[in-house]
Amino acid sequence: MSFFEWEIVMMRIKRFLLIFALFLPMLAILVFVLENQQNVSLSLLGLTTGQMPISVFVVLALILGMLIGPLLGALFRNRRDRTRNTMRSSER
């Protein structure tokens, strides 16, 4: 096999692995949602939600964490960078 043919084979393998890596979590989420259909209500600080399946609360918490995590990471990264820049300028 020539280098070009190996490159095509490797691109196909990478594509297959990417599709598999995306499909597996989607399948796991689908199974989780289908298995957790029992209705519950949450109570926090005197506030009570309506009756919804457990999976709704878990998926909402997952999405909220996926949104808040990067925002906090960016905030702390900016704060750390400003501290480093201040320390560097004070050393001069």
Side-chain angles (χ1 to χ4, degrees):
M1 285 183 118
S2 69
F3 176 75
F4 182 70
E5 291 170 336
W6 273 108
E7 192 172 350
I8 292 173
V9 170
M10 290 304 293
M11 284 177 35
R12 288 182 181 166
I13 291 172
K14 285 180 185 179
R15 185 177 300 140
F16 172 76
L17 289 175
L18 177 65
I19 291 170
F20 183 73
L22 293 175
F23 179 72
L24 194 61
M26 288 177 18
L27 182 63
I29 291 170
L30 178 65
V31 168
F32 174 80
V33 168
L34 292 175
E35 288 292 325
N36 290 291
Q37 292 296 317
Q38 181 180 0
N39 285 338
V40 296
S41 70
L42 293 182
S43 247
L44 180 67
L45 301 173
L47 302 173
T48 305
T49 65
Q51 294 276 329
M52 289 193 273
I54 296 172
S55 59
V56 171
F57 292 116
V58 173
V59 170
L60 287 174
L62 173 71
I63 291 170
L64 189 63
M66 289 172 62
L67 294 174
I68 291 175
L71 291 174
L72 287 175
L75 176 71
F76 287 116
R77 186 177 324 114
N78 287 339
R79 186 175 291 175
R80 184 184 65 220
D81 291 345
R82 277 188 277 154
T83 304
R84 284 183 184 169
N85 290 338
T86 304
M87 292 175 67
R88 285 182 186 160
S89 63
S90 65
E91 290 175 359
R92 293 180 186 177

